[in-house]
Amino acid sequence: MEKQAVTIYTVAREARVSMATVSRVVNGNPNVKPETRQKVLDVIKKLNYRPNAVARGLASKKTTTVGVIIPSVTNPYFAELALGIDDIATMYKYNIILTNSDFNDDKILKVARGLLAKQVDGIIFMGHDMSAELQQEFAASNTPVVVAGSIVNDDKLATVRINYQSAAKEATNYLLDHNDDRVAFVVSSLDYSINSKYRLAGYKEALAEHGIPFESKYVIETNGDYNRAYQQADHLIEQGIKAAYVSDDDLAAGLLNGLTDNGVKVPDDFEIVTSNDTTYAKITRPTLTSITQPLYDIGAISMRLLTKMMDGEVSDTDDVILDHGIIERQSTRRG
Amino acid sequence: MEKQAVTIYTVAREARVSMATVSRVVNGNPNVKPETRQKVLDVIKKLNYRPNAVARGLASKKTTTVGVIIPSVTNPYFAELALGIDDIATMYKYNIILTNSDFNDDKILKVARGLLAKQVDGIIFMGHDMSAELQQEFAASNTPVVVAGSIVNDDKLATVRINYQSAAKEATNYLLDHNDDRVAFVVSSLDYSINSKYRLAGYKEALAEHGIPFESKYVIETNGDYNRAYQQADHLIEQGIKAAYVSDDDLAAGLLNGLTDNGVKVPDDFEIVTSNDTTYAKITRPTLTSITQPLYDIGAISMRLLTKMMDGEVSDTDDVILDHGIIERQSTRRG
DNA sequence: ATGAAAGCGCTAACAC
DNA sequence: GTGTTAGCGCTTTCAT
C-alpha cells in the first residue's frame, strides 16, 4: 500500500534541504535561491513526486474544489451551462465535484451536505428552488454559493441568469402577434418560482397587452420531461390551443413531436416558442423558434463570480442579469 | 475564518469522552457502550458536528471519491453513461469528480494527474484511446481504472461495453439487405481504435458476406460533431451513397438533418442506422433506426466493477461485454 | 469499552 | 534564503 511512497519529506532529504523549502518550490514561492530551486526541481522530477492535494487541503483549508449541483446532466440546458462552468473552473485550476440532484429535495440536501463535508471552496447551484433546510445549510456553512441559470426562493444568494419574466412576455407577445389568441403556457411545474412567479407573470403581461383574458386552462404543467410533454400533445389539441410558449426545450421538443405525430402541422396549425435555444431547438424538424440566451456565458460567469467570492474579492451578491433575445425558426410562421 | 469551529475534539470534550470514542461513534464501530454512544450522538446533534472529509481522507488514505473522465457532457452518449455511473456511485456513497476532456490528450493527461493528486480512490475513463503518458500514469498510480462504453488501446484496463465489431457488422448487414449496395461507414475519426479497428472490421465483414468490394471512398470521417456531419451530407449525396452506418447519434442526427434539408428523403432515398440509441435517435424526425445498447447499465456496471476493485475484491480485469440489439425506426425502410 | 498517542502529508508562522 | 516547529481534523494501533 505504498501509494504515496514519496512525500515532501522524501524530496527534502534527497535534496538536502528542509521540507519547507520543498514546499516553497512546489508553491512557486519566490523566496528560494535559484540553485536551490533547481536542485529541488531535479529531485522532484527524479522521484516523480506529486503533491498530495488532500494533505494540502487539510493544512491550508482550501481544496481548490467546487461543488456543482445539477438537476440532470442529460438535460441539454444544464449540460450547456456546465460547459461554461467547467471551462472557467479549469482556467482557475479548480476541480469540480458534479452531483446529480434529480430535482429531488432530499437528494439535494444530501449531496449538498456531502459537498460541504468534502470542504469544497464554493458551490454552484443549478435548480429552481431550495428547501428551507438547504437554505439554512448554505447559510450556516458560509461557503460561497452562486445560482446559475435560474432564480430561486432565496434572494440572499447571488444568481446569474436572464430576466425570465420579460423573456416569457416577449415570447408570448410574439405568438399573440401572429393572431394566435389561444396561446398556452407550458411548464414542467408551477412549484418552481421561476415558472409560477416570473414566467407566468410575463405571460400574463403579454395577454393583458393584447386585451386577452387569462384562462387557467391554458396553463399546462407537464410534471415531467420530453415524454410527458409528448403525451400531452393531444390534450392541447382538444383544448383548441393554437400555440404555446414552452419553458424548456426538452418539453418543447416533446410537444412538437407529439403534435407532428398526431398529424398536426407545425407551424401552420400550431406554433411553438421555446426558452433555451439548446441543441434540441436545432435538431428537431421543424426547428424551434426560441428565446436566446448565452448558456455558456451564464455558466462561465457564474463560475467566475464564484472564484471572486472564494477569494473574498466580492462581498455584495448582486444578481447578474444577461441579455436575451429571440430567434425565429421553423416552429412559428413568418411575419 | 472559523469554518470548522466544531471538530471531533470539541465533541469529545463536551461529551466527556476521548476523541477516539467520538470517532468510533461516527464510524459506527460497535465497540461503544450504548449509553456512551447516545451521549455522544446528542452532543453531535447539539453542536451540529460534521466530520471533515478531508482530514478523514488524509488519515485513512481513502477519499470516497472517484474521478470520472468524460469527453463531453453535452454528448448524450456520455451523458447517459454518466447517469448510471452516478447512481451507483451514490448508492455506494462515493462522490464523483467529473472532468471534461474534450477528447484532447493534453487535457486528459492534466485532468488525470489532477484526479490522482486529489487521491481519488478510482477512475472511470470514457474516451476512445489513451496516450502513452496516460497509460503510464495510470499504471504507476495503482489506482483502479475502468473504461466505460468504449474499447481502448490498452488491454490491461478493464472495460465495460458491447461488442462494437459485431454491432457494426449487423448494422451494415441490415442496410445491405435492403439492396443498398452503396453503404457508407461514417465515423468521427479513424484515429480511435474503436472505429478503425473494431467497427471498420465489422463493416468490412458485412461487405464481404454480401460479396461487395470495400471502397475507401465510402469511409467518411467527420472530424467533428453534429454540425460537421450536417455539412458533409451533400458530399455523401455527390458520391452516390444511398445509406450509412453511423458511429454516433450526434453525427447521425447531423447527417439526417443535412440530407433532409437538402431535399433528400430519408428513408426513401437514403437509409441511416446509428449506434447508440440515445435521445437524439428518438427526437429527430424521421426517428433513427439504431443499434441498441444498455447505456445506463454500462455506466452502472462500470461503477460497480470499480467499487469492487477499490475494495480489493477483484484482481482480474476481464472485460464485461453486454448484449446489444437493433431497433427499427423511421430512418430505414421496412422489410 | 475507552483513552493516549502517533501519525497521515502538507502549510504557515516564526526564527535565524 | 532556509530551517524548525506546530498544527490541520481525523483514524488507528496499542494499552488498559
Side-chain angles (χ1 to χ4, degrees):
Chain A
M1 277 301 106
E2 53 245 285
K3 193 168 179 179
Q4 178 87 29
V6 30
T7 73
I8 202 172
Y9 185 71
T10 325
V11 175
R13 223 178 18 189
E14 183 81 10
R16 300 174 174 288
V17 296
S18 74
M19 48 189 295
T21 298
V22 178
S23 176
R24 289 187 188 101
V25 170
V26 168
N27 293 297
N29 185 315
N31 284 7
V32 183
K33 194 162 51 171
E35 306 130 56
T36 312
R37 174 183 309 278
Q38 195 52 54
K39 188 170 59 179
V40 172
L41 250 19
D42 289 345
V43 174
I44 286 178
K45 172 160 282 182
K46 173 178 151 206
L47 265 38
N48 194 28
Y49 165 72
R50 301 293 175 76
N52 179 323
V54 175
R56 182 180 282 185
L58 183 58
S60 69
K61 294 178 174 286
K62 300 187 119 295
T63 54
T64 62
T65 303
V66 312
V68 174
I69 300 175
I70 190 171
S72 157
V73 277
T74 52
N75 182 313
Y77 176 69
F78 297 111
E80 291 183 29
L81 289 177
L83 221 62
I85 293 171
D86 187 76
D87 273 4
I88 304 303
T90 302
M91 182 176 305
Y92 285 88
K93 306 210 182 306
Y94 281 94
N95 280 116
I96 281 177
I97 299 189
L98 207 275
T99 54
N100 255 76
S101 73
D102 297 328
F103 284 117
N104 173 327
D105 276 351
D106 285 344
K107 191 164 178 198
I108 295 177
L109 192 59
K110 273 175 62 179
V111 302
R113 286 186 171 144
L115 255 18
L116 262 9
K118 289 253 156 89
Q119 314 298 120
V120 295
D121 297 334
I123 290 178
I124 301 248
F125 179 82
M126 289 184 263
H128 296 322
D129 271 318
M130 298 166 46
S131 66
E133 291 97 322
L134 183 61
Q135 292 185 40
Q136 194 178 327
E137 198 76 32
F138 281 162
S141 75
N142 73 48
T143 299
V145 176
V146 2
V147 177
S150 190
I151 179 164
V152 300
N153 56 340
D154 184 343
D155 43 11
K156 279 183 288 300
L157 260 28
T159 75
V160 179
R161 56 181 171 88
I162 62 167
N163 183 326
Y164 300 108
Q165 179 165 343
S166 62
K169 176 180 165 187
E170 288 159 34
T172 308
N173 265 333
Y174 180 89
L175 257 10
L176 258 17
D177 287 342
H178 283 203
N179 300 316
D180 293 321
D181 55 350
R182 283 165 293 178
V183 174
F185 175 74
V186 179
V187 298
S188 55
S189 168
L190 287 173
D191 290 345
Y192 306 137
S193 52
I194 185 176
N195 291 332
S196 62
K197 203 166 158 191
Y198 301 96
R199 286 180 173 140
L200 184 56
Y203 170 75
K204 286 180 175 172
E205 279 177 12
L207 248 32
E209 285 185 7
H210 281 74
I212 298 172
F214 169 76
E215 291 192 61
S216 60
K217 69 172 178 177
Y218 288 161
V219 174
I220 315 286
E221 275 185 280
T222 62
N223 289 312
D225 52 7
Y226 175 89
N227 289 316
R228 274 308 194 32
Y230 184 95
Q231 292 156 7
Q232 304 240 9
D234 56 357
H235 172 65
L236 295 229
I237 300 167
E238 287 166 15
Q239 299 276 318
I241 294 170
K242 291 296 181 187
Y245 161 65
V246 186
S247 68
D248 193 297
D249 292 1
D250 197 26
L251 303 179
L255 174 60
L256 168 66
N257 285 337
L259 290 167
T260 304
D261 292 355
N262 273 290
V264 176
K265 296 272 180 254
V266 175
D268 298 339
D269 302 330
F270 199 111
E271 292 193 287
I272 298 176
V273 176
T274 185
S275 297
N276 302 327
D277 193 29
T278 65
T279 49
Y280 277 22
K282 299 150 195 165
I283 283 183
T284 57
R285 286 296 176 278
T287 52
L288 293 162
T289 292
S290 178
I291 300 285
T292 55
Q293 50 176 316
L295 258 25
Y296 178 91
D297 293 352
I298 290 175
I301 291 172
S302 299
M303 187 62 214
R304 180 61 184 112
L305 176 58
L306 188 62
T307 64
K308 285 182 185 161
M309 292 168 74
M310 294 185 297
D311 290 348
E313 287 175 20
V314 88
S315 47
D316 60 291
T317 54
D318 278 349
D319 289 359
V320 179
I321 313 293
L322 301 184
D323 289 341
H324 63 269
I326 190 162
I327 181 171
E328 300 184 294
R329 291 209 186 82
Q330 303 164 342
S331 65
T332 52
R333 298 186 293 270
R334 288 284 159 172
Chain B
M1 277 299 108
E2 52 246 287
K3 194 167 179 179
Q4 179 86 27
V6 29
T7 74
I8 201 172
Y9 184 71
T10 324
V11 175
R13 224 182 14 192
E14 184 81 10
R16 300 175 174 286
V17 297
S18 73
M19 46 189 294
T21 298
V22 178
S23 176
R24 289 187 188 100
V25 171
V26 168
N27 292 297
N29 185 316
N31 283 9
V32 183
K33 191 162 53 172
E35 306 131 55
T36 312
R37 174 184 308 280
Q38 195 51 54
K39 189 171 57 179
V40 171
L41 251 19
D42 289 345
V43 175
I44 286 179
K45 171 160 279 180
K46 172 178 152 205
L47 265 38
N48 193 30
Y49 165 73
R50 302 293 174 75
N52 179 324
V54 174
R56 181 179 282 184
L58 182 59
S60 68
K61 292 175 175 290
K62 300 188 118 295
T63 54
T64 61
T65 303
V66 312
V68 174
I69 300 176
I70 189 170
S72 157
V73 275
T74 51
N75 182 312
Y77 176 69
F78 297 110
E80 290 182 30
L81 289 176
L83 220 64
I85 292 172
D86 187 76
D87 273 3
I88 304 303
T90 301
M91 184 177 302
Y92 285 88
K93 306 210 183 306
Y94 281 94
N95 280 114
I96 282 178
I97 299 189
L98 206 275
T99 55
N100 256 75
S101 73
D102 298 327
F103 285 118
N104 174 329
D105 276 351
D106 286 343
K107 190 165 180 196
I108 295 176
L109 192 59
K110 273 174 60 179
V111 303
R113 286 188 171 143
L115 256 19
L116 262 10
K118 289 254 156 93
Q119 313 299 117
V120 295
D121 297 333
I123 290 178
I124 302 247
F125 180 82
M126 290 184 261
H128 297 321
D129 270 318
M130 297 166 46
S131 66
E133 290 97 321
L134 183 62
Q135 293 184 40
Q136 195 177 325
E137 198 77 33
F138 281 162
S141 75
N142 74 48
T143 299
V145 176
V146 2
V147 177
S150 191
I151 178 165
V152 300
N153 56 340
D154 184 342
D155 43 11
K156 280 182 288 299
L157 260 28
T159 75
V160 179
R161 56 181 171 89
I162 62 167
N163 183 326
Y164 300 108
Q165 180 165 344
S166 63
K169 177 181 166 186
E170 288 159 33
T172 308
N173 266 332
Y174 179 89
L175 257 8
L176 259 16
D177 287 344
H178 284 203
N179 300 317
D180 293 321
D181 55 351
R182 284 165 292 178
V183 174
F185 175 73
V186 179
V187 299
S188 55
S189 168
L190 288 172
D191 290 345
Y192 307 137
S193 51
I194 184 176
N195 290 332
S196 61
K197 204 166 159 189
Y198 302 96
R199 286 181 174 138
L200 184 57
Y203 169 76
K204 286 180 174 173
E205 278 177 12
L207 249 29
E209 285 185 5
H210 282 75
I212 298 172
F214 169 75
E215 291 191 63
S216 60
K217 69 171 178 178
Y218 288 162
V219 174
I220 315 287
E221 275 184 279
T222 62
N223 289 311
D225 52 7
Y226 175 89
N227 289 316
R228 274 313 198 23
Y230 184 95
Q231 291 154 8
Q232 305 240 8
D234 56 357
H235 172 65
L236 294 230
I237 301 167
E238 286 165 16
Q239 299 275 318
I241 294 170
K242 291 296 182 187
Y245 160 64
V246 187
S247 67
D248 193 296
D249 292 1
D250 197 24
L251 303 179
L255 175 59
L256 168 65
N257 285 337
L259 290 167
T260 304
D261 293 354
N262 272 287
V264 176
K265 295 271 180 258
V266 176
D268 298 340
D269 303 329
F270 199 112
E271 292 193 289
I272 298 175
V273 176
T274 186
S275 297
N276 302 328
D277 194 29
T278 63
T279 48
Y280 277 21
K282 298 150 195 164
I283 283 184
T284 57
R285 286 295 175 279
T287 52
L288 294 162
T289 292
S290 179
I291 301 285
T292 55
Q293 49 176 317
L295 258 23
Y296 178 91
D297 293 353
I298 290 176
I301 292 171
S302 298
M303 187 64 216
R304 180 62 184 110
L305 177 57
L306 188 62
T307 64
K308 285 182 185 161
M309 292 169 73
M310 293 185 297
D311 289 348
E313 286 175 22
V314 87
S315 47
D316 60 290
T317 54
D318 279 349
D319 288 359
V320 178
I321 314 291
L322 302 185
D323 289 341
H324 63 269
I326 190 161
I327 180 169
E328 300 184 296
R329 292 210 185 84
Q330 303 165 342
S331 64
T332 51
R333 298 186 293 270
R334 288 284 158 173

